[in-house]
Amino acid sequence: MGALLLDGKKLSLDIEKNLKIRVSKLKEGGIFPHLAVILVGEDPASEVYVKNKEKACDRTGIKSTKILLPSSTTENEILELIDLMNNDDMIHGILVQSPTPRTINEILITEKISPSKDVDGFHPQNLGKLVQGELGGLMPCTPAGIMKLLKQSRIDLAGKKVTVIGRSRIVGMPLAILLAQRGIDATVTIAHSKSKDLAEICRESDVLIVAIGRPEAVKLDWIKPGSVIVDVGISRINDSLTGKSRLVGDVSSKAMEVASYMTPVPGGVGPMTIAMLLTNTVDAAAKTKFN
Ligand code: NAD
C-alpha cells in the first residue's frame, strides 16, 4: 500500500482563501497589508522564490514591493534601507531573500528588521519566543507550515519518536523546538551532518522530517514501515534516463511505498512556507490596528 499524500498545495490554497477574506476586511478598515521583499544579487533560484511570493501576494490581495539590489550593495546600505522600512507605517512585512552575497552578514540583517515586521520569523526575539513556548508571535515560515500540515492531517505526535535531520536556524532547529513543546509532546531527535548511524536513527523514527538539501540522501531501506515522512529539501537534478532536469527532495520518492503519509516534492512543504509568509504579513498588518 502506498503512502497518503500530505498535500501542502491544497492546504495552502485553503489558507489563502481565508487570508483573502481577512485582507479585504483590513482594507475596509483602511489597512492595506504590504510586504516588502529585498533581493540582493542575481541568484536564479532566489528570483524564482521571490516571484512565487509576489504571485501569492497578488492572489490574496496583499501589496508586494520588490527591491532589487546589485550584488555590490554593502551591508550598511541594506541596513539603512531596512531602517527606512521599519519606520514606514505603510509596510507591514520585510523580508530579505536568502542567500545574500557572502559579503553580507545575514544574522545582522535579521536582527535589524523590526520584530513586528519580521515575517520570516528569524529575529532573535521571535525565535526566543518559541523557546519560551509563546506561539502568538511571528513564527518561522517553514517550521510553522510543517506543523500546520501535520495538524491538519490529524497526525498525532504525542509521545512519538520524531527525527528532524538538519539543524539550520531557519528550518531544523526551530522545528525541533515546536515539535517538543508542551501540547505537541513529541520525543525529538535532532540529527545532522556529524550524526552517526543515521540510517538506524531513521529506522526507529515514527516521523521523519528531512531538511538537508542533499538530493534523495534518505534511502528506502532507512524508512520505518508505516512512518510519516516530511521532505523539506528541494534540489534540481539532471535525470540520467530522460536527460531532463527535475526537482527532487532529500528522501527517495520510493519511500512512498512503505510510509503511511508523505509530502510530495514539489507541492508539499514549499506551498505551506509561502502560505505562512502570507499569514505572518496579514497578522503583522492586523496588529497595527491596535497601535
Ligand atoms: P542548511 O544548508 O542551512 O542546513 C542543512 C543542514 O543539514 C545542516 O544542519 C547540516 O548539518 C545538515 N546536513 C547536511 N548534509 C547532511 C547529511 N548528509 N546528513 C545529515 N545532515 C546533513 O539548509 P536549510 O536552509 O535548512 O535547507 C535544507 C533544504 O531545505 C534545502 O534543500 C532547501 O532548499 C530546503 N528548504 C525548503 C523550503 C521549502 O519551503 N520547501 C524552505 C527552506 C529550505
Side-chain angles (χ1 to χ4, degrees):
M1 203 183 83
L4 295 173
L5 276 193
L6 290 170
D7 192 341
K9 177 91 193 149
K10 183 169 178 293
L11 179 55
S12 71
L13 290 175
D14 290 344
I15 293 169
E16 283 187 13
K17 226 185 265 175
N18 285 327
L19 286 175
K20 211 170 165 178
I21 298 168
R22 285 183 68 198
V23 170
S24 9
K25 285 196 179 139
L26 283 170
K27 285 182 175 170
E28 281 166 19
I31 296 171
F32 295 79
H34 182 185
L35 171 69
V37 180
I38 302 172
L39 178 59
V40 190
E42 288 167 6
D43 175 45
S46 293
E47 281 166 19
V48 173
Y49 293 143
V50 169
K51 184 147 234 88
N52 288 340
K53 289 169 187 173
E54 283 182 294
K55 281 190 195 158
C57 283
D58 279 351
R59 288 196 296 270
T60 43
I62 297 171
K63 179 179 174 185
S64 69
T65 302
K66 177 170 68 178
I67 296 106
L68 294 174
L69 299 173
S71 51
S72 57
T73 309
T74 65
E75 199 170 83
N76 265 339
E77 284 168 332
I78 302 173
L79 294 174
E80 278 168 21
L81 177 60
I82 293 173
D83 211 23
L84 286 175
M85 291 177 166
N86 280 341
N87 291 307
D88 183 341
D89 290 343
M90 305 304 278
I91 294 177
H92 305 103
I94 305 169
L95 179 159
V96 180
Q97 183 63 42
S98 179
T100 54
R102 282 178 181 199
T103 48
I104 313 290
N105 179 341
E106 286 196 10
I107 302 278
L108 266 188
I109 300 291
T110 300
E111 286 174 353
K112 183 70 178 177
I113 297 173
S114 160
S116 61
K117 298 190 181 190
D118 166 42
V119 285
D120 255 340
F122 300 156
H123 189 283
Q125 190 171 311
N126 286 323
L127 286 178
K129 280 186 181 169
L130 293 191
V131 181
Q132 290 175 328
E134 255 185 76
L135 304 180
L138 296 172
M139 308 251 280
C141 300
T142 304
I146 292 169
M147 295 304 291
K148 206 158 203 122
L149 192 53
L150 291 172
K151 185 174 180 196
Q152 184 70 20
S153 310
R154 297 175 199 279
I155 290 165
D156 182 21
L157 297 165
K160 297 281 166 57
K161 286 186 181 173
V162 180
T163 297
V164 179
I165 316 183
R167 56 180 164 183
S168 74
R169 176 178 67 91
I170 62 172
V171 186
M173 202 53 95
L175 178 61
I177 291 169
L178 287 173
L179 289 160
Q181 71 185 291
R182 205 178 286 274
I184 300 293
D185 303 321
T187 302
V188 183
T189 299
I190 305 175
H192 45 76
S193 52
K194 301 283 191 295
S195 296
K196 294 211 163 70
D197 303 325
L198 197 51
E200 205 45 50
I201 294 172
C202 292
R203 279 183 205 117
E204 287 172 1
S205 304
D206 303 311
V207 179
L208 182 61
I209 306 180
V210 192
I212 58 178
R214 303 278 182 268
E216 300 185 316
V218 174
K219 310 294 177 206
L220 171 62
D221 66 341
W222 297 20
I223 307 295
K224 176 177 174 177
S227 61
V228 174
I229 313 288
V230 175
D231 193 349
V232 187
I234 182 150
S235 309
R236 186 165 286 283
I237 59 159
N238 282 318
D239 193 313
S240 53
L241 285 178
T242 63
K244 290 186 182 149
S245 77
R246 62 184 173 95
L247 291 173
V248 295
D250 288 342
V251 182
S252 162
S253 55
K254 290 188 186 137
M256 278 284 205
E257 293 166 17
V258 295
S260 59
Y261 289 88
M262 186 166 169
T263 53
V265 177
V269 176
M272 289 305 297
T273 298
I274 293 189
M276 292 301 104
L277 171 68
L278 301 177
T279 303
N280 278 348
T281 305
V282 175
D283 285 350
K287 281 197 179 134
T288 59
K289 208 166 31 179
F290 307 109
N291 287 339

